[in-house]
Amino acid sequence: MPEKNDHTNSEPTGDAIIEIMDMHKWFGEFHVLQDVNLTVQKKERIVICGPSGSGKSTLIRCINRLEEHQRGRIIVDGIELTNDIKNIEKIRAEVGMVFQHFNLFPHLTIVENLTLGPIWVRKIPKKEAEETAMYYLEKVHIAEQAKKYPGQLSGGQQQRVAIARSLCMAPKVMLFDEPTSALDPEMIKEVLDVMIELAQEGMTMIVVTHEMGFAKSVAHRVLFMDYGQIVEGNTPQEFFENPQHERTKLFLSQIL
Amino acid sequence: MNAEIERQPEEEIKPPVASVGVIGWIRANLFSSWFNSILTLITLYVLWKTVPPFFRWAVIDSNWFSTAEVCRGSEGACWSIIPANIRFILFGFFPYESQWRPLVAMILLVALLFYSRDRKHWKKSLAYAWVIGLVVMGLLMKGGILGLASVETTQWGGLPLTLMLSVFGLTAAYPLGVILALGRQSKMPAVKTLCIIYIEMIRGVPLITLLFMSSVVFPLFLPEGMTVNVILRAQAAIIMFTAAYIAEVVRGGLQGMSKGQYEAAESMGLNYYQTMRLVILPQALKIVIPPTVSQLISALKDTSLVVIIALYDLLKTTQSVLSDPAWMAFSSEAYIFVALIYFLCCYFMSSYSRRLEKELDTGL
């Protein structure tokens, strides 16, 4: 059974877990990420926002190498991302990812979705993996659906299962790629609630989202991206009340 | 006030008589428009002209266990050709007194197939059963030990040969086809090119050509005195041919998979083989069950082409019976019988595939 996290200590520790230095990425001729520098500390929670096409999703997809960067360095948990497939697999096991469209495996039951990674990547015995799976399903308030298939669940339930699936791998970092964008309005809250609980337990999180309420209440830092660059980053309070750049002001005036 | 609100739930209004029951069905399906009515009438007329005469020929006037002479004097079908020649049709030139051996082998094969239909039986013990079953079948066919007379493979023929070529051909071609499909999608240029060349070359030639090559051209490249069994060569040709087609069907399924499935699998640290085996293939292969089964069915029927390299499969043994002057006139009956056997095999496959689709349906 996973250890219970210390609720009182959910503040950044000061040790870097992700370091991104002078990173560039191109899609063909298109310079999608330009000179990105970002250091994420353990237990830090970062929200990335910005207009569509600004490179936010591409940035977090570079962190677990779903996208390849072409210049600069990315170091995750002390391992640099290179073409070495073994290193990439190691990092992916430590970095959980939640997608906009859930991407559950439709041919497997909920509990099988959750145990697949632990059994095959972590080599955990099936029984133990199932116990862990049930623990996390309880946590996302969905244990009674364990034997169903993803196709039988609502969008909000599926996204909560997807979060539980990532947690089963006991990741050190969680990446969220617009986790609520594909949900009906009445289901957004149930997913955000689960993410807030996760934040309170001290999970390191990088969240790409348009949910500014979530950013205000949960994030340590809010980053604004535009045209492939991090335009500015600040504490939520400073960011929303006192934005520095014109582009940030324009963006905030459009969404708030 | 609105009538809908005032009506009590108990007083249900029945639909008009003409739209339900037998009359409703007939109206909806046979006479829904003037064009459909004409089609219905024409069809009825054609059926009335063809079915009764066929029934008279095949059942009422037919002979079942008579001699060929009696048949010639009769108007009806001469099914007697089947019982009179059944052993040659089914077993070809297999020594007469040993024909119980291919019979037992066939029953064993069919029993194993039927037992394997149920996915609940897919355990390790089933694999052992197949291994033991195959060895027993091989011993029965080949003989040479345990007091069984040795039988040359050149004497194998009829239904056992057809079943063998199909069952082993299809079971070997399927995994090979999946591997080829994965190879064609590979990021490694050499593997990809090889797979494309293989698939396109094999698909570019007819099966007959491949069979000819395996029986005529291939032995030329073998060292002096070395031979490869002709049945084995035919089997290899059928496997190679079917695999290329399966590969293209499976590729269709792989391309139908969303990128998100790959990304979800990879982002939890699964490697390529795990991603394919646990996430992608189970879904992709399920999607392509219908076209795959079409491919397998056509491969089963294509096994009859082995006659051109002088193998006596089920169709050829039947044709041989028809070269007997006494039975020459009754080819329709013989071919209907053989068609029935082929139909049963194909129907088994397609009904199984429908059942599999249903079982694997998970609502997405």
Side-chain angles (χ1 to χ4, degrees):
Chain A
M1 198 63 26
E3 278 177 42
K4 225 171 158 32
N5 281 302
D6 187 356
H7 278 233
T8 53
N9 185 9
S10 62
E11 291 309 304
T13 57
D15 322 327
I17 187 154
I18 298 172
E19 288 170 275
I20 302 175
M21 285 163 278
D22 311 323
M23 193 261 277
H24 292 254
K25 170 161 184 66
W26 287 263
F27 281 134
E29 288 291 306
F30 180 53
H31 201 170
V32 62
L33 290 175
Q34 305 174 18
D35 196 23
V36 173
N37 285 281
L38 176 66
T39 304
V40 182
Q41 297 168 20
K42 280 183 188 156
K43 302 201 178 185
E44 189 173 34
R45 298 186 289 276
I46 292 179
V47 166
I48 304 176
C49 61
S52 69
S54 59
K56 348 180 257 302
S57 290
T58 311
L59 172 59
I60 67 166
R61 288 160 60 87
C62 282
I63 294 173
N64 67 353
R65 197 67 164 195
L66 287 181
E67 303 287 354
E68 199 178 321
H69 63 282
Q70 280 111 9
R71 254 177 66 183
R73 302 174 70 190
I74 300 178
I75 299 168
V76 180
D77 196 25
I79 307 173
E80 175 158 7
L81 277 172
T82 57
N83 278 326
D84 184 345
I85 188 76
K86 285 285 158 233
N87 272 350
I88 294 172
E89 278 161 13
K90 234 182 264 169
I91 288 171
R92 283 173 175 168
E94 304 302 334
V95 177
M97 186 156 202
V98 175
F99 299 87
Q100 182 178 3
H101 296 287
F102 334 133
N103 294 347
L104 295 178
F105 306 130
H107 63 300
L108 299 176
T109 62
I110 300 305
V111 74
E112 286 168 341
N113 263 280
L114 267 63
T115 54
L116 192 73
I119 290 175
W120 291 93
V121 179
R122 294 255 189 257
K123 314 285 180 203
I124 291 172
K126 188 172 177 220
K127 196 145 183 333
E128 199 181 311
E130 277 172 1
E131 280 168 13
T132 313
M134 289 313 292
Y135 170 82
Y136 282 114
L137 284 178
E138 295 277 355
K139 229 171 135 73
V140 300
H141 320 296
I142 210 161
E144 68 282 1
Q145 315 278 13
K147 295 279 172 248
K148 287 192 181 168
Y149 287 97
Q152 296 165 300
L153 268 53
S154 75
Q157 290 173 322
Q158 289 196 43
Q159 193 61 296
R160 285 186 280 149
V161 171
I163 293 172
R165 176 173 72 177
S166 291
L167 292 176
C168 279
M169 291 291 289
K172 295 184 174 151
V173 183
M174 286 281 281
L175 308 174
F176 292 84
D177 189 3
E178 306 202 25
T180 56
S181 304
L183 295 176
D184 292 336
E186 76 270 22
M187 295 172 181
I188 291 175
K189 189 174 175 302
E190 63 186 57
V191 171
L192 289 180
D193 285 346
V194 166
M195 290 168 64
I196 290 168
E197 282 171 42
L198 202 56
Q200 286 163 351
E201 291 176 11
M203 176 61 78
T204 312
M205 296 163 79
I206 304 179
V207 185
V208 172
T209 186
H210 299 292
E211 295 294 329
M212 290 304 133
F214 175 81
K216 275 179 193 160
S217 62
V218 172
H220 295 115
R221 251 199 296 171
V222 182
L223 306 182
F224 173 68
M225 283 187 75
D226 202 8
Y227 296 109
Q229 292 168 321
I230 298 180
V231 177
E232 69 174 287
N234 222 326
T235 61
Q237 200 180 358
E238 277 295 301
F239 181 84
F240 288 110
E241 284 168 15
N242 191 15
Q244 301 295 313
H245 289 258
E246 282 308 311
R247 268 146 57 177
T248 319
K249 287 176 192 162
L250 180 68
F251 177 73
L252 288 176
S253 72
Q254 283 164 342
I255 60 160
L256 288 177
Chain B
M1 265 309 236
N2 196 326
E4 303 257 348
I5 295 166
E6 282 170 13
R7 199 194 306 134
Q8 301 296 315
E10 297 93 72
E11 11 169 352
E12 234 178 72
I13 295 179
K14 293 248 164 64
V17 180
S19 69
V20 289
V22 180
I23 300 172
W25 186 90
I26 289 175
R27 272 184 69 148
N29 292 291
L30 300 178
F31 298 99
S32 56
S33 70
W34 62 268
F35 181 69
N36 284 349
S37 305
I38 291 174
L39 280 184
T40 302
L41 292 174
I42 293 175
T43 311
L44 283 176
Y45 177 74
V46 171
L47 286 178
W48 181 62
K49 275 291 182 194
T50 52
V51 173
F54 179 81
F55 186 74
R56 170 175 287 276
W57 175 80
V59 181
I60 298 174
D61 291 343
S62 62
N63 300 287
W64 289 79
F65 297 99
S66 63
T67 60
E69 282 71 43
V70 176
C71 272
R72 267 193 289 276
S74 149
E75 285 281 290
C78 181
W79 300 115
S80 320
I81 184 175
I82 309 300
N85 300 289
I86 187 73
R87 291 181 67 161
F88 187 78
I89 292 178
L90 290 186
F91 304 117
F93 294 109
F94 209 91
Y96 195 79
E97 63 286 354
S98 301
Q99 282 178 359
W100 62 272
R101 283 159 47 185
L103 182 67
V104 172
M106 257 184 343
I107 291 172
L108 193 61
L109 181 63
V110 172
L112 273 171
L113 282 175
F114 264 91
Y115 187 75
S116 308
R117 266 176 79 123
D118 199 332
R119 293 201 311 140
K120 280 201 248 22
H121 297 157
W122 291 9
K123 296 179 199 135
K124 223 174 201 171
S125 55
L126 185 64
Y128 293 132
W130 269 102
V131 171
I132 295 168
L134 289 177
V135 171
V136 172
M137 276 178 238
L139 289 179
L140 281 170
M141 294 296 289
K142 192 99 179 71
I145 58 163
L146 300 173
L148 297 172
S150 177
V151 177
E152 284 304 311
T153 51
T154 44
Q155 289 173 292
W156 295 8
L159 191 56
L161 183 65
T162 295
L163 282 182
M164 217 172 66
L165 288 174
S166 329
V167 173
F168 301 135
L170 305 192
T171 39
Y174 189 69
L176 186 58
V178 172
I179 291 170
L180 282 169
L182 290 176
R184 192 168 184 166
Q185 303 252 305
S186 169
K187 286 190 187 108
M188 290 177 270
V191 174
K192 188 182 169 122
T193 315
L194 271 177
C195 288
I196 293 179
I197 291 174
Y198 176 88
I199 292 170
E200 295 305 337
M201 271 188 31
I202 298 283
R203 288 205 310 165
V205 295
L207 179 56
I208 292 202
T209 319
L210 270 185
L211 286 169
F212 261 132
M213 284 188 22
S214 76
S215 87
V216 181
V217 183
F218 177 66
L220 296 180
F221 295 103
L222 289 178
E224 193 82 32
M226 187 180 156
T227 56
V228 175
N229 184 299
V230 64
I231 295 181
L232 213 57
R233 275 182 276 152
Q235 183 82 78
I238 289 172
I239 292 171
M240 285 167 65
F241 185 78
T242 310
Y245 281 85
I246 299 278
E248 285 301 275
V249 169
V250 172
R251 183 166 71 99
L254 288 174
Q255 284 177 344
M257 294 299 302
S258 81
K259 222 173 134 220
Q261 291 291 310
Y262 289 93
E263 289 179 351
E266 285 167 7
S267 73
M268 61 169 70
L270 293 173
N271 62 32
Y272 173 81
Y273 298 99
Q274 292 169 332
T275 303
M276 284 302 164
R277 193 166 83 75
L278 301 167
V279 176
I280 303 301
L281 282 178
Q283 298 182 61
L285 295 182
K286 190 187 96 185
I287 301 171
V288 296
I289 286 175
T292 309
V293 171
S294 292
Q295 225 29 272
L296 295 181
I297 283 177
S298 93
L300 179 132
K301 292 181 293 184
D302 281 351
T303 57
S304 56
L305 290 174
V306 295
V307 302
I308 61 136
I309 54 170
L311 288 179
Y312 274 69
D313 78 317
L314 181 62
L315 193 64
K316 182 63 183 171
T317 52
T318 310
Q319 280 176 333
S320 310
V321 167
L322 293 172
S323 61
D324 177 351
W327 298 107
M328 217 178 247
F330 309 110
S331 56
S332 313
E333 291 85 339
Y335 284 133
I336 288 176
F337 174 70
V338 175
L340 210 63
I341 293 180
Y342 275 106
F343 175 78
L344 282 179
C345 295
C346 296
Y347 187 76
F348 170 82
M349 280 163 52
S350 68
S351 76
Y352 179 61
S353 83
R354 261 176 284 142
R355 184 171 131 179
L356 206 57
E357 272 177 75
K358 230 187 206 162
E359 280 178 7
L360 296 178
D361 183 29
T362 57
L364 211 86

